[in-house]
Amino acid sequence: MNPPEPKRMLATVTEQFARTARRTGLATPGPGVLEAMARIPRERFVPAASADRAYDDAALSLACGQTISQPFIVALMTSLLQTRPEHRVLEIGTGSGYQAAVLGELVHEVRTVELVPELAAAATAQLRALGYDNVHVQTGDGARGWPEHAPYDGILVACGSESVPPSLLAQLAPHGHLVMPLGPRDAQRLVDITQDDAGVVHTRDVLGVRFVPFVRTIEARHERFVTPRGIGLRAFAATEAQAFAELALALASLVADPAQVQRQRRVEFACSAAKGPQLLARWLDEVVWAMARQDLVFASFEVRLRGDSLRATGLGEQRSAPRGATVEPRRTTVLDPTVARDADGWVAQCTVES
Ligand code: SAH
């Protein structure tokens, strides 16, 4: 007779440790790790469609294009953290919640952050149902960590990033381990990072891995600067559409403070043009036109880009009295719009001739 499925999975994990020992430096899983995994019904964390594969040593698909890590990788990352029962650990990328449950078996408290609200909700429900009261799930961008409860004795990141988010390093306790997939998507390495008393960071390469990407969400913001031709405006955002919206907001803020807008009126915009900067120019013209024709002050814009066309909504109000206007919208001319990708997202820029 074949061994029951969970036993077979743990046997495979053990074999994998032996096979990779020279690279990982670990011939066997850390104390208690296999026992913890043996207590967790993994089928409760995988979608019903893959339930028959719950105990395969394989990564499985979750909703929203995400994956639940391969059991060997879960065991390896957990072992690298060198957990102790009194530890408090942080996980980034809750996904199904399975890794968090493994950690929950081993340490005093687990905090885990997931970007996708649906996944965070499903994981929370599952962890509650199984009684993991020491595991706390938060929806949000893991690049921030969970500063309110830092420092952590260990941090496990379950999504691949090209660089170590500085907030995570800042939230790691002295001598704690930060275990994460690092590097470009097709050449990711699992690394074990520690920081000594002097604050010197040590990185140990463990194994080649393949994780889903660590999604960078940068908060939209804009800045003004002076150019020979007028006022320069530059907007940064995670997506091209958000960069368009943010640049329009920067333009609107030349006329009045968007934070002062109280009564909100919707204005619909639509335009099209051949290329990115041309479409941006058309969009900014539309905004200037709306401000001038209707004497509107905008508090926000929502832009949807589809190919060469743009649909947007602006929320604003009629300007009853001048609110410290610096530029009269009627005379606003937008010059040199540019839009480009950078490492973290999108940058849209223009000059306003006044
Ligand atoms: N530990 C999980 C596997 C996670 S897969 C498990 O045991 O099932 C990686 C997860 O990281 C995905 O759910 C993905 O949505 C999440 N993720 C990606 N970028 C993120 C970010 N910036 N902040 C938080 N979670 C993120």
Side-chain angles (χ1 to χ4, degrees):
M1 211 179 79
N2 288 330
E5 290 212 311
K7 281 233 168 77
R8 185 166 52 76
M9 178 184 92
L10 298 177
T12 312
V13 169
T14 307
E15 274 165 38
Q16 292 263 54
F17 267 87
R19 199 176 313 146
T20 54
R22 275 219 287 173
R23 275 177 290 158
T24 65
L26 291 177
T28 55
V33 174
L34 285 187
E35 291 79 356
M37 289 172 75
R39 284 193 292 272
I40 301 171
R42 193 163 185 266
E43 71 278 7
R44 297 279 292 267
F45 293 92
V46 308
S50 327
D52 57 335
R53 301 184 57 213
Y55 292 94
D56 287 3
D57 186 33
L60 298 173
S61 296
L62 296 175
C64 318
Q66 303 302 338
T67 51
I68 170 170
S69 309
Q70 178 193 356
F72 164 59
I73 295 295
V74 170
L76 178 62
M77 292 176 84
T78 308
S79 303
L80 290 167
L81 283 184
Q82 301 187 22
T83 58
R84 288 211 301 262
E86 68 276 18
H87 277 178
R88 294 172 51 255
V89 302
L90 173 68
E91 181 196 24
I92 305 302
T94 316
S96 67
Y98 178 74
Q99 171 75 72
V102 174
L103 293 169
E105 289 276 347
L106 292 163
V107 302
H108 176 62
E109 187 180 81
V110 181
R111 304 235 159 224
T112 176
V113 183
E114 169 59 50
L115 189 63
V116 180
E118 293 82 0
L119 289 175
T124 304
Q126 201 50 255
L127 290 161
R128 285 290 150 275
L130 292 169
Y132 289 101
D133 296 335
N134 62 338
V135 180
H136 307 276
V137 183
Q138 190 184 61
T139 304
D141 181 0
R144 283 187 62 245
W146 194 333
E148 294 79 3
H149 301 276
Y152 300 95
D153 301 298
I155 301 180
L156 188 159
V157 181
C159 35
S161 171
E162 299 225 3
S163 58
V164 183
S167 314
L168 297 186
L169 214 45
Q171 289 169 33
L172 186 65
H175 306 288
H177 289 257
L178 166 56
V179 178
M180 70 179 290
L182 195 63
R185 182 123 209 235
D186 46 4
Q188 268 175 21
R189 309 295 305 175
L190 186 65
V191 296
D192 175 7
I193 300 172
T194 48
Q195 220 168 176
D196 66 22
D197 289 325
V200 179
V201 175
H202 302 270
T203 304
R204 185 171 75 88
D205 178 286
V206 178
L207 205 64
V209 285
R210 199 177 178 95
F211 276 78
V212 299
F214 196 127
V215 178
R216 292 305 177 96
T217 64
I218 58 164
E219 225 160 291
R221 65 188 165 86
H222 62 254
E223 63 190 25
R224 274 184 215 176
F225 50 97
V226 178
T227 80
R229 302 173 74 185
I231 301 170
L233 300 174
R234 191 179 289 131
F236 303 88
T239 68
E240 189 181 13
Q242 284 163 9
F244 273 44
E246 188 65 19
L247 191 61
L249 191 64
L251 187 62
S253 73
L254 289 179
V255 178
D257 179 0
Q260 300 281 310
V261 173
Q262 279 161 14
R263 267 178 301 115
Q264 306 228 316
R265 214 188 105 192
R266 288 168 67 88
V267 180
E268 302 289 337
F269 299 89
C271 58
S272 52
K275 283 192 273 117
Q278 285 177 25
L279 185 57
L280 181 62
R282 287 290 304 276
W283 156 240
L284 296 173
D285 282 348
E286 290 286 330
V287 173
V288 169
W289 190 83
M291 293 196 298
R293 271 302 281 268
Q294 306 178 35
D295 208 14
L296 274 166
V297 175
F298 285 100
S300 66
F301 297 95
E302 198 183 308
V303 173
R304 278 146 295 150
L305 292 176
R306 196 172 269 163
D308 301 335
S309 66
L310 173 152
R311 297 199 146 269
T313 311
L315 284 181
E317 72 179 354
Q318 220 89 34
R319 201 143 60 112
S320 38
R323 296 172 190 269
T326 49
V327 174
E328 196 51 43
R330 274 170 203 85
R331 285 189 269 113
T332 304
T333 309
V334 176
L335 305 169
D336 308 327
T338 61
V339 54
R341 254 206 111 99
D342 83 349
D344 286 323
W346 288 83
V347 187
Q349 175 169 334
C350 68
T351 299
V352 177
E353 193 186 52
S354 45

